[in-house]
Amino acid sequence: MPLLRQTLLVALLALAIGTPAAAVDMPVPASGIPGVSDAQLSPDFWVARLADADKLVLDRAAIAALNERVARLDPSMHDIRHLPATLPRAQVTGWIGKLTTRPTKPLFDAEGKPVDASTIDAILGNAALDAVPAQVTPRYGMAVRRAALRGYPTDRRVFSRAGDTDIDRFQESTLFPGDPVVAVHTSKDGQWTFVVSARYAAWVRSDGIAYRDAAAIFAHADATPYRVITGAKPKTVYTPEAPAVSELQLDMGTRVPLDTTAPPDQPVNGQSPYTSWVLSLPVRDAQGALSFHPALLQRNQDSAPDYLPLTRANVVRQAFRFLGERYGWGHAYNGRDCSGFVSDVYRSMGVQMPRNTRDQSISPGLTHTLYTDKDSHEARLKAAMALEVGDLVYIPGHVMMVIGKVDGQPYVIHDVGGMSWKQPDGSLRRVVLNEVSVTPLLPMMFSDDATFVDRMTSIVRIR
């Protein structure tokens, strides 16, 4: 495609000399996404272009070392396995206070009405910070379902602008079934618990956590044999005999122990297990106590006996399993956001990353290159052209995963609200996406006069 090559050279020259980005002069299909054909929406297209598709990027020992380094060095991670028997009040209120503070900007409800001060007062009052004792005894627990992690002890959804109801500013992240947590505080109404997990500390609905001693919690989390969920979000089979584990969603990267006590020739929850994997899943009783119950995951649902090998082919294939999934800030909408997307993909290969975009981009445990206003267009562009499959590219508030090149131009897959690009008349065309999408990198405009590459803050390479 000589025209595409010529266009790329013009764009590169424009960036290198610091002039505004050139208008996109490449095929624009009906989708409005320049340079992306139907063929490029298949992982096979990108895997076929890799010369070393199945070569190990990191082996198991190297991944373990990477995870240990991130857990030890990254301040956003929490070592909940080695907490003391009691925690000082200042530590607990410090965790809560990072999220649960009085908003400094106006907020709006789902109907577009301003959230008044009395509503905020009630929510903050429910946090009951004054009830945190001088010494807190942590309670070990485990998530029994996919459960929202919130910045405040409320289900109320709030937004920065009236009518823009996609990004709930009280939503933070999500727990998955089997995630170990430490509970350190309960809301005034008892409906919410502030928990600390390995990657996040926030409020969760109290009935989403079941409790037991730490030894039992971590013995289950570490149990073998197990299955690793490699599909986007498969579910256990429907079973009226055990509603708590019926059609339970298991998101990509979740590690679930197998129940080795179930006789292979006897029914599990009224159904033969011979076509399924028998999982051991956490269940909460009426008093909040944790037990484990067998559940069936059909063998035709995507899972593996261990984490997938970390290869470029697997990175691409795992990323494409989310293609078209609705964008969900903080894992809302039963989906995920940009940083949740990339971390869940890498989690299926055993890599444990920080949860949020900013933490990922500057993590001292990850291999990253930072960019500031002192870095020239030429330096940024050179780095963009040297990107490799699996690299993570960060701009303020967003992350993209590199999947390869077409005619020398880098392409990315990312969970993104939309794409803007410059038309021949100089105007910007914006396409609303709100999904996991494939786009070229270089034409993407951050603003009227700056491209994504201009605003690049970091490149993280999982190596």
Side-chain angles (χ1 to χ4, degrees):
M1 300 173 64
L3 179 59
L4 180 57
R5 292 192 182 95
Q6 180 180 0
T7 303
L8 177 60
L9 290 175
V10 171
L12 298 187
L13 180 60
L15 285 172
I17 63 177
T19 58
V24 168
D25 187 13
M26 58 197 301
V28 181
S31 66
I33 308 301
V36 178
S37 65
D38 284 350
Q40 288 163 259
L41 299 180
S42 166
D44 296 339
F45 175 91
W46 302 99
V47 173
R49 305 174 76 84
L50 292 170
D52 54 353
D54 295 315
K55 180 182 177 181
L56 275 181
V57 176
L58 291 176
D59 61 19
R60 287 280 171 260
I63 292 174
L66 173 63
N67 291 342
E68 186 278 330
R69 189 166 66 248
V70 170
R72 176 169 44 86
L73 298 177
D74 195 301
S76 71
M77 307 292 278
H78 306 284
D79 182 10
I80 64 172
R81 291 179 181 246
H82 301 101
L83 291 178
T86 60
L87 303 170
R89 183 181 192 276
Q91 183 172 0
V92 173
T93 56
W95 280 330
I96 300 173
K98 286 183 179 180
L99 300 178
T100 315
T101 60
R102 183 171 295 278
T104 58
K105 297 180 180 179
L107 295 172
F108 301 86
D109 64 18
E111 286 72 44
K113 299 176 182 178
V115 179
D116 58 35
S118 63
T119 299
I120 297 297
D121 289 341
I123 293 171
L124 292 174
N126 194 36
L129 284 182
D130 56 351
V132 178
Q135 293 293 321
V136 176
T137 301
R139 298 177 66 198
Y140 282 85
M142 182 169 279
V144 297
R145 62 174 182 268
R146 195 184 203 266
L149 285 170
R150 308 280 290 168
Y152 298 76
T154 178
D155 283 321
R156 180 182 288 270
R157 301 176 73 233
V158 299
F159 312 96
S160 297
R161 295 185 298 276
D164 183 359
T165 57
D166 265 343
I167 298 181
D168 175 4
R169 291 301 176 181
F170 285 177
Q171 176 70 18
E172 293 290 330
S173 189
T174 291
L175 293 173
F176 299 112
D179 279 352
V181 299
V182 171
V184 296
H185 186 52
T186 303
S187 63
K188 184 177 181 180
D189 63 9
Q191 300 300 305
W192 295 88
T193 300
F194 196 91
V195 299
V196 183
S197 70
R199 297 199 306 160
Y200 222 80
W203 296 95
V204 65
R205 274 281 179 185
S206 297
D207 61 5
I209 306 298
Y211 297 95
R212 203 161 167 178
D213 62 277
I217 295 288
F218 294 116
H220 185 265
D222 298 337
T224 58
Y226 55 86
R227 301 296 293 181
V228 173
I229 303 303
T230 56
K233 42 190 176 185
K235 294 182 178 181
T236 59
V237 302
Y238 173 78
T239 170
E241 294 85 356
V245 295
S246 177
E247 294 190 318
L248 188 72
Q249 182 171 307
L250 301 169
D251 287 64
M252 181 181 289
T254 303
R255 169 180 161 152
V256 189
L258 293 178
D259 187 327
T260 57
T261 66
D265 61 346
Q266 297 298 311
V268 172
N269 303 329
Q271 180 178 332
S272 170
Y274 95 100
T275 59
S276 302
W277 302 106
V278 184
L279 307 180
S280 178
L281 289 171
V283 173
R284 174 188 167 101
D285 70 12
Q287 289 71 45
L290 173 67
S291 60
F292 302 104
H293 199 284
L296 299 180
L297 178 70
Q298 294 169 230
R299 288 179 182 249
N300 61 8
Q301 299 295 299
D302 292 318
S303 71
D306 202 350
Y307 293 103
L308 296 175
L310 178 47
T311 67
R312 290 180 175 86
N314 279 339
V315 168
V316 170
R317 290 195 176 102
Q318 291 303 99
F320 270 79
R321 290 182 184 275
F322 291 119
L323 186 71
E325 181 183 77
R326 175 67 183 250
Y327 177 90
W329 172 266
H331 276 78
Y333 294 162
N334 200 32
R336 58 219 80 231
D337 53 25
C338 61
S339 56
F341 161 65
V342 300
S343 63
D344 285 355
V345 168
Y346 271 111
R347 194 166 66 113
S348 69
M349 286 161 274
V351 177
Q352 302 296 324
M353 298 178 63
R355 169 61 181 87
N356 286 342
T357 301
R358 183 180 183 278
D359 294 326
Q360 292 176 5
S361 70
I362 62 173
S363 175
L366 297 174
T367 301
H368 61 270
T369 305
L370 300 179
Y371 296 87
T372 69
D373 293 341
K374 296 180 180 180
D375 291 292
S376 67
H377 290 292
E378 184 176 11
R380 292 168 175 270
L381 191 57
K382 182 178 179 181
M385 298 307 294
L387 289 167
E388 298 180 7
V389 172
D391 285 352
L392 303 176
V393 182
Y394 294 83
I395 64 172
H398 188 55
V399 57
M400 302 159 278
M401 178 181 288
V402 177
I403 54 174
K405 293 181 179 178
V406 175
D407 290 315
Q409 177 159 191
Y411 278 70
V412 294
I413 185 169
H414 48 147
D415 208 340
V416 65
M419 176 185 181
S420 296
W421 48 276
K422 189 160 287 191
Q423 301 184 102
D425 65 0
S427 64
L428 288 185
R429 178 177 177 183
R430 176 165 175 81
V431 181
V432 174
L433 293 169
N434 267 343
E435 64 180 358
V436 177
S437 306
V438 172
T439 68
L441 173 60
L442 298 185
M444 296 190 74
M445 300 296 295
F446 185 89
S447 61
D448 289 347
D449 57 0
T451 66
F452 272 31
V453 171
D454 291 327
R455 296 302 306 273
M456 185 169 64
T457 61
S458 177
I459 294 173
V460 168
R461 180 162 288 171
I462 305 297
R463 298 289 189 273

